Amino acid sequence: MTDDTTGRVGSPEGEPTGPVIRDKRRIDPATGEVRQPAPDTPAPTSSDDRETPMSDPSDQHEPGDQQSGMPQDPFSAEESALHEAEVGAAEADAAAERAKADGEHPDTVLAAERLADLQRLQAEYVNYKRRVDRDKVLLKDLGAASVIEALMPVLDEIALARQHGDLGEGTPFASIADKLQQALGRFGLEAYGAPGDEFDPALHEALMHVQAELPEGATTTTVVQVLQPGYRQGDRVLRAARVSVADPQ
């Protein structure tokens, strides 16, 4: 039945009303001993017969299953793990401070401090792992770029030999040159620069400016001769192509 003055449901006679406070601390503050968990007691049933709503089978799903219509997690697994570790460390620090302020048993305070230390170390490890994974790819590219830059004089000599016809088809030296360029190509090396290309200051270095006939339809400064080819690795320019350019008439 309902209490008219408070608007709350009354309890059977003989049972206390109001909030119920349960002490769920694992360590007894008086003795310092670990408490044994009490067996679960069934909740008291009301004299009123109330129907228990049946759960919808569509709401039951295994943990980790993605429900249709639910938003996707915008963070990656590493970012989520880092966020959880940082939040856990902050909560553990706050719990340790509360334990000190509440005058908890020294063992309880020590356990809270150790938990905070462990979660802080976990956050640092996740940060370290993500930084190592990111730097691993960068160091690999930098190592390949340094080797390519050291071999650029050899590649220039090969390019000059091709221009002068010294690398005849089927000759041993031509085969060696092709294999060298193919091997460097597996590391992302790409030579660029050809007559007729539109001049780009980010890709070309103009050593000469001459008067010359340009291809039909050219409206901007155009490369007319490649003195040395340029080399790039992916989006990174290792050396700009050294060219001679001309302006449209």
Side-chain angles (χ1 to χ4, degrees):
M1 57 185 296
T2 305
D3 190 343
D4 295 338
T5 60
T6 62
R8 294 180 298 179
V9 177
S11 60
E13 295 182 0
E15 293 185 5
T17 60
V20 178
I21 300 176
R22 295 183 176 87
D23 189 357
K24 295 185 178 181
R25 290 178 290 185
R26 295 292 305 278
I27 299 177
D28 192 331
T31 63
E33 297 180 354
V34 179
R35 293 172 173 171
Q36 297 297 328
D40 295 336
T41 57
T45 58
S46 174
S47 58
D48 298 336
D49 294 334
R50 295 184 177 90
E51 294 183 359
T52 303
M54 299 296 292
S55 60
D56 188 357
S58 62
D59 295 338
Q60 300 177 0
H61 58 278
E62 295 295 329
D65 290 348
Q66 183 68 30
Q67 288 182 299
S68 59
M70 296 295 290
Q72 298 289 337
D73 188 0
F75 301 103
S76 64
E78 293 183 354
E79 292 174 342
S80 299
L82 175 60
H83 177 70
E84 292 176 0
E86 291 175 347
V87 171
E91 292 178 350
D93 286 335
E97 294 297 330
R98 287 196 302 269
K100 289 182 180 180
D102 295 342
E104 297 284 354
H105 191 274
D107 291 343
T108 305
V109 177
L110 182 62
E113 291 176 349
R114 293 296 180 265
L115 177 61
D117 292 340
L118 288 175
Q119 291 182 333
R120 192 177 300 106
L121 287 175
Q122 181 185 7
E124 292 175 358
Y125 173 74
V126 172
N127 267 329
Y128 166 77
K129 186 177 183 300
R130 186 172 62 176
R131 185 171 61 252
V132 168
D133 293 340
R134 182 184 66 244
D135 293 345
K136 187 184 300 182
V137 178
L138 178 62
L139 291 175
K140 179 182 177 181
D141 293 340
L142 290 177
S146 63
V147 173
I148 292 172
E149 290 175 356
L151 292 175
M152 277 186 187
V154 178
L155 298 176
D156 291 336
E157 294 295 333
I158 292 175
L160 290 174
R162 289 187 189 280
Q163 292 178 3
H164 292 86
D166 295 336
L167 294 181
E169 191 70 24
T171 60
F173 187 68
S175 177
I176 294 173
D178 291 339
K179 290 180 180 180
L180 175 61
Q181 291 178 329
Q182 291 174 4
L184 295 177
R186 289 197 292 268
F187 292 95
L189 177 65
E190 178 187 358
Y192 69 92
D197 290 347
E198 182 179 344
F199 177 74
D200 185 350
L203 301 176
H204 304 98
E205 179 183 357
L207 299 183
M208 291 190 295
H209 193 281
V210 299
Q211 297 291 333
E213 294 185 1
L214 299 180
E216 185 178 356
T219 58
T220 59
T221 304
T222 305
V223 175
V224 295
Q225 184 182 2
V226 178
L227 306 177
Q228 277 187 333
Y231 294 102
R232 58 190 169 194
Q233 183 187 24
D235 295 334
R236 180 184 179 188
V237 176
L238 301 179
R239 188 185 71 185
R242 296 169 180 175
V243 298
S244 174
V245 298
D247 292 329
Q249 299 296 333

